Amino acid sequence: MKMKNKKILIIISIVIAIATLTNCTKMIPKMIDPSQGLCGAAGLSSAQAVLFAHGNDQFFAIRTAANGLGPYFVSTGCGECHSSDNRGHLFTILTRFGQTDSTGNKFLAMGGPQLQNANLPGFMPQQIPPGATSSKLIAPITAGVGFLEAVPDSEILALAAANVNDPNGVRGHPNYNSLPAYVTPFANAIPRADGKYICRFGRKGATYNLEAQVANAYNHDMGITSTLMPFNPYNYLDQTAPVTPSTPEVSDDDFNSVVFYVRCLQTPVQRNASDATVTSGNQIFINIGCETCHKQTLTTGYSPVAALSYQTINPFTDLLVHNMGTGLDDGYTEGNALTSEWRTTPLWGLGLASNVQGGGVYLMHDGRAHSIQQAIQMHGGEAATSVINFNALTAADQKALITFLQSL
């Protein structure tokens, strides 16, 4: 009898283990098939391909204390937040805090602008200081960002100028910000009279170029110093933490290879573009006003990587920041964007999001939308008319529009 009970317990344990593994598998982000277009840019030279491969290795490397991680950090590697070079997941959400207007962040001496919520043994995790507003952010897609970097300021300014008389109240504008001392402006940059430059990366569009983006990621996300950012993130709970420059914990060669890697990632490839429902949904997308901000087509200018220069791309963004209404006001800002303003999110790769988000989708800046339809209806402010137009569509037309967006 005891032997029979023991066998039953073993069978039950096996069933529970299989069920648990199955459920966990549904939650764990999957790797995307490289044939879906998230790979190197076409036209790289042999030397560039080698550099790209090295950057790929560094991008997906797991960092530990032995190779510079911490003592305060958010993730242990770039690929942890950008699985398959795509969007992030709620498991790797970031928290920014401390800036409410364009006068700057008042909490930089208390660990700002980013919360390091993980730590090495012997260190206390950082907490948001009293009085600091904060915002949770999911990492955006990395594929195609080098092409966005190559879009000239003149095109961004032209898109902003076209909004001035928009009948639906769309008034997108560039996010002008001061540049870190280590950043060299692009040769075709058009600065503002006060010396600030048009930025385009990050959810608020406040980071100038990919070099700055990668430097910030190493420093703020992983606690790794570089030649460009030689200070460890300061944790206000640890008053003994050194604030003097440290020896770079990532070499210049490794750092530059990661910058090159993200710069040369190919643009996501649309699927089923000729399908009748997809083409119908595309036209509906235009008709209800979504295309006013989510510009389907942009053109790159000069890039030091020839394969990125003078290319027509389809990112579905205007690289401008727009007022999205009180519902999306997070009380935090960067550059000259208001707390309710967000950079238009590129929609390319949208249909691949569920592959890296555990089978579901977590859309908008903080993952609060769990479907494309829900994300559309959360738009407000300058996008309010488009939402009204969407809600007025027939069920069939709404479905066609969603099918189109899922093809991106």
Side-chain angles (χ1 to χ4, degrees):
M1 186 68 178
K2 289 183 178 179
M3 180 61 69
K4 183 178 180 181
N5 290 339
K6 186 175 181 180
K7 288 181 178 179
I8 292 174
L9 288 174
I10 291 173
I11 292 172
I12 292 173
S13 298
I14 292 172
V15 171
I16 292 173
I18 292 172
T20 302
L21 180 60
T22 301
N23 289 333
C24 288
T25 301
K26 291 179 180 179
M27 288 297 297
I28 297 172
K30 299 184 295 183
M31 295 297 285
I32 290 175
D33 185 339
S35 67
Q36 296 299 323
L38 305 187
C39 54
L44 296 183
S45 68
S46 297
Q48 288 174 328
V50 171
L51 181 59
F52 181 87
H54 180 58
N56 176 83
D57 292 342
Q58 294 300 310
F59 189 88
F60 290 102
I62 300 300
R63 303 292 172 176
T64 66
N67 57 15
L69 180 70
Y72 315 106
F73 57 95
V74 177
S75 63
T76 60
C78 306
E80 188 173 306
C81 292
H82 300 283
S83 178
S84 297
D85 302 309
N86 207 308
R87 292 158 174 78
H89 190 278
L90 291 182
F91 293 155
T92 56
I93 201 163
L94 307 174
T95 301
R96 298 277 175 82
F97 66 88
Q99 184 168 331
T100 59
D101 55 38
S102 60
T103 60
N105 196 312
K106 306 300 190 296
F107 293 86
L108 294 180
M110 297 183 180
Q114 184 160 295
L115 181 72
Q116 280 80 42
N117 60 347
N119 56 279
L120 297 177
F123 295 88
M124 292 291 292
Q126 188 180 22
Q127 298 180 22
I128 298 174
T133 59
S134 63
S135 179
K136 293 186 179 299
L137 306 170
I138 282 183
I141 187 171
T142 48
V145 291
F147 291 87
L148 296 180
E149 184 183 51
V151 174
D153 285 2
S154 57
E155 182 157 355
I156 297 174
L157 290 170
L159 291 170
N163 286 336
V164 172
N165 296 314
D166 182 82
N168 294 323
V170 175
R171 297 291 185 268
H173 63 87
N175 190 344
Y176 285 93
N177 205 357
S178 300
L179 302 187
Y182 60 79
V183 168
T184 300
F186 300 125
N188 59 2
I190 304 175
R192 205 165 59 177
D194 60 2
K196 294 186 177 182
Y197 286 82
I198 295 174
C199 297
R200 63 193 71 193
F201 294 113
R203 291 293 187 176
K204 297 277 189 178
T207 302
Y208 185 70
N209 64 2
L210 294 175
E211 185 179 45
Q213 190 79 352
V214 171
N216 285 330
Y218 267 113
N219 197 266
H220 296 160
D221 297 352
M222 294 175 276
I224 294 176
T225 60
S226 62
T227 298
L228 302 185
M229 297 185 71
F231 295 90
N232 278 306
Y234 178 65
N235 188 303
Y236 78 103
L237 294 176
D238 181 5
Q239 298 297 328
T240 64
V243 292
T244 55
S246 68
T247 301
E249 294 163 328
V250 57
S251 71
D252 289 350
D253 285 346
D254 287 347
F255 178 90
N256 291 332
S257 74
V258 172
V259 174
F260 188 81
Y261 170 76
V262 296
R263 180 169 285 147
C264 293
L265 286 170
Q266 184 58 281
T267 62
V269 177
Q270 185 182 13
R271 299 160 308 286
N272 305 318
S274 60
D275 177 83
T277 302
V278 170
T279 56
S280 174
N282 188 0
Q283 189 59 53
I284 294 168
F285 180 85
I286 297 169
N287 292 345
I288 68 173
C290 301
E291 211 266 345
T292 305
C293 301
H294 291 282
K295 290 294 182 185
Q296 299 199 34
T297 303
L298 296 178
T299 304
T300 67
Y302 168 78
S303 169
V305 181
L308 308 182
S309 297
Y310 310 110
Q311 301 293 315
T312 298
I313 57 175
N314 302 106
F316 293 84
T317 178
D318 56 7
L319 296 176
L320 301 173
V321 293
H322 296 266
N323 187 335
M324 299 302 293
T326 56
L328 294 177
D329 190 328
D330 65 342
Y332 176 81
T333 189
E334 298 170 317
N336 75 331
L338 301 176
T339 56
S340 60
E341 290 183 327
W342 300 90
R343 184 202 66 167
T344 305
T345 298
L347 297 182
W348 55 12
L350 176 61
L352 303 176
S354 64
N355 289 355
V356 294
Q357 293 186 325
V361 291
Y362 303 92
L363 306 176
M364 307 303 287
H365 65 275
D366 56 1
R368 68 177 68 180
H370 302 303
S371 69
I372 293 176
Q373 179 168 335
Q374 191 175 20
I376 292 171
Q377 293 174 329
M378 285 180 178
H379 284 56
E382 297 176 31
T385 299
S386 292
V387 176
I388 292 172
N389 293 340
F390 173 79
N391 290 332
L393 294 173
T394 65
D397 283 349
Q398 286 190 4
K399 184 177 180 180
L401 175 60
I402 301 300
T403 299
F404 163 66
L405 293 171
Q406 289 172 334
S407 77
L408 300 180

